[in-house]
Amino acid sequence: MKRQRINLDSDFKPSRGDSGESSSSTGAGVNPNTGTGYSQRYYELFRKRIQLPVWEYREKFMQMMDEQNIMVLVGETGSGKTTQIPQWCVEYCRKSKIKIGVACTQPRRVAAMSVAARVSEEMDVELGQEVGYSIRFEDCCSSRTLLKYCTDGMLLREAMSDPLLEAYSIIILDEAHERTLSTDLLMGVLKQVVAKRDDLKVIVMSATLDAGKFQNYFDNCPLMNVPGRTHPVEIFYTPEPERDYLEAAIRTMVQIHVCEDEGDVLIFLTGQEEIEEACKKIKREIDNLGSDVGEVKCIPLYSTLPPNLQQRIFEAAPPPKNGHIGRKVVVSTNIAETSLTIDGVVYVIDPGFSKQKVYNPRIRVESLLVSPISRASAQQRAGRAGRTKPGKCFRLYTEKAFKNDMLEQTYPEILRSNLSMIVLQLKKLGIHDLVHFDFMDPPAPETLMRALELLNYLGALDDEGEMTDVGAIMAEFPLDPQLSKMLISSCEYNCSNEILSVAAMLSVPQCFVRPNEQKKAADDAKQRFSHVDGDHLSLLNVYHAFKQNKDDPSWCYDNFINYRSLKSADNVRQQLSRIMDRFNLKRISTEFTSKDYYLNIRKALVCGYFMQVAHFERNGVYLTIKDNQIVYLHPSTVLEHKPEWVIYNEFVLTTKNYIRTVTEIRPDWLLKIAPSYYNLEYFPQCEAKRQLEFISNKLSRQNKI
């Protein structure tokens, strides 16, 4: 490997002189949040807190809070800003005798949960009481909550019912540099709220030095800069591009374990399956080396992992064995790039890829694609190795690729996403002039038009672009608009109980497990749940079987079903049920013995997904309706035949254009359920159009009779 030395060090040395919080916050050893004495654990954590780089800036921060309503705070990853600043905000509210309500947004669910857990410990309170978190389908807060960590999407949802966000005195947008869809929208909304509320304070926190853009956006607000405590990091590049980055990452990890000094390893990969596979392979490789090397503890980290397993990343490395170093290896998505800081990491392996959402408005396809990261992301990843002592970063790409082929910054998500959910939220927030809404980076007009068109066809917006009654209810569901419409329409087809279950199953990670060494057994197990009409009904069968077996984890294991996914689906279903009850949407089922039981469910599916239909052509391929894209059924489908008409849930771009989660439908349903979309005058010439014209004429004749 070619090596280049870069210095991520700063000259900053934190002050160790602070011995404790101000007397106003600690009193005489009494916790102002609970009115009781502090525990021993509080003092242990407090000693660590005052050594964080951010601590030296506490007084300066409090002073700026007095003087400013909006500020940008740039702090290097690991400076302690995410855990300390929100606590100081609670203190500031108490000192200023204003209502204590602090929200700190995070782009990722994992970060919101794990940081809330850490801060509740630091404040010596119970998680879910004075400190809580709120993420999609999970609310861990109470009437006593003073400080809430939440995903930016959840704060947006709160703004729908509380447009001026009056529950909060201070709102912190953390990790703003990640520029998620919701962060960008939230910045625009907060800019309007601050203009109406002079008592609201907003802090925009970012881990990169691209602060100028945020300052300009918020009318040249002041900047506070907090250096991190980092050590030099040596960068290694590969002399040639790697053919298989996963194999290269595992090989590099084994080399580090055999040859390098002590220190934990952080490997960046792109998704859950890849991470789980890498953990198995690393364990196998290390086991093969036998007693010649120390023990390795391999820990996966991705957003859908349950909280108790996420916390394993903070465990200690295994002790030395037979004189050999024990090592902890965290294999993570880019969640560990800025959102979570893992102490003890000395070695970083960076293959240079992450999964990114990409939307093509021409063909209405949104896909998660494995894409090269930006140079800014690569620098963030490298910096993770220099937290506790000098570290090393192994980049599995060439120096030339880094300098010439990588973008400086990642494109904001708003420029590469389907905006239908965002448009619906803006309308619900009472923002009607979308073209002039103050986005930091305005999306392409075509993407906005596609979103308006979709919402109009779904009946969420009328022809003037105003929100309909159905649209107002759709906006209340934390789901894609198609799923919301499907759920609302299911009441008309007497199958809302079943569609609730299907919607919940579609909102959680894939439930079928297919281990490499047991593919045949897993496929046989999946076959037992398969429904002749397709994947949606197979998911319903899985959920029903899970409930009939009383949520038994061992039943899931025996049937190659992901227990965590099913428990999540159960939780999602309960939350969606509560929203349905709030709007008096009746929860009913067609009698199971009726021939219409499955027909009604499939019709309800069409109500949401009539724009995602494919027709099987005579030449043996599927064409998507209107866009005429050639697509193939995904190998994971349970369908053993190729139906003439199908709806699909996802368009997946890998080696081919695949459609995934597919169910057979009838073409006459399309004409009855979505007549405006299936106005055949505007259809391109194709076999599907000829078929639909024939059916349309037949229906017209029947109506005349």
Side-chain angles (χ1 to χ4, degrees), residues 379-593:
Q379 296 288 31
Q380 287 286 356
R381 290 181 174 189
R384 309 314 258 154
R387 284 275 298 127
T388 47
K389 64 179 190 179
K392 294 180 180 180
C393 175
F394 298 86
R395 290 179 173 163
L396 306 181
Y397 42 91
T398 62
E399 190 173 1
K400 182 169 171 254
F402 174 74
K403 288 178 175 171
N404 301 339
D405 302 342
M406 286 182 170
L407 294 168
E408 182 59 40
Q409 295 278 352
T410 310
Y411 280 122
E413 202 177 338
I414 200 157
L415 301 181
R416 47 188 173 84
S417 293
N418 177 352
L419 298 182
S420 53
M421 184 91 163
I422 290 295
V423 168
L424 196 58
Q425 286 180 324
L426 282 170
K427 292 282 184 182
K428 183 74 176 179
L429 288 163
I431 296 161
H432 302 296
D433 186 359
L434 304 181
V435 175
H436 295 106
F437 181 74
D438 193 359
F439 287 111
M440 189 181 270
D441 286 285
E446 186 179 8
T447 314
L448 266 177
M449 290 308 298
R450 284 294 194 193
L452 290 164
E453 180 189 51
L454 168 72
L455 293 169
N456 177 241
Y457 281 130
L458 288 171
L461 302 179
D462 61 22
D463 290 345
E464 276 69 54
E466 297 301 313
M467 184 177 265
T468 62
D469 292 343
V470 171
I473 299 173
M474 282 168 66
E476 291 291 330
F477 286 97
L479 300 168
D480 281 338
Q482 287 116 306
L483 269 178
S484 309
K485 181 61 191 288
M486 175 181 90
L487 205 45
I488 294 165
S489 303
S490 64
C491 301
E492 298 166 36
Y493 293 96
N494 297 328
C495 61
S496 53
N497 281 324
E498 287 72 21
I499 290 295
L500 258 174
S501 303
V502 172
M505 291 293 282
L506 292 173
S507 302
V508 299
Q510 177 61 258
C511 70
F512 295 109
V513 179
R514 194 169 184 256
N516 277 340
E517 59 281 4
Q518 291 178 285
K519 285 182 179 174
K520 174 78 170 67
D523 291 343
D524 291 345
K526 185 176 179 179
Q527 203 57 41
R528 293 197 285 275
F529 300 105
S530 69
H531 190 285
V532 66
D533 291 326
D535 298 312
H536 294 86
L537 300 179
S538 302
L539 291 175
L540 181 64
N541 286 346
V542 172
Y543 184 77
H544 282 164
F546 177 66
K547 298 313 288 178
Q548 283 161 4
N549 285 277
K550 299 183 172 54
D551 303 13
D552 181 8
S554 57
W555 173 84
C556 288
Y557 182 81
D558 294 341
N559 287 280
F560 294 88
I561 299 294
N562 185 331
Y563 173 73
R564 295 201 300 263
S565 286
L566 268 293
K567 283 307 282 182
S568 296
D570 212 19
N571 182 19
V572 170
R573 193 183 188 283
Q574 287 168 25
Q575 303 229 17
L576 295 177
S577 302
R578 287 199 283 274
I579 299 172
M580 287 189 79
D581 294 345
R582 206 166 80 222
F583 292 101
N584 296 319
L585 296 167
K586 54 191 177 180
R587 289 196 267 146
I588 46 175
S589 296
T590 303
E591 191 61 47
F592 185 66
T593 51

Side-chain angles (χ1 to χ4, degrees), residues 108-120:
R108 294 189 176 86
R109 298 155 55 105
V110 174
M113 289 189 288
S114 62
V115 177
R118 172 68 183 197
V119 170
S120 64

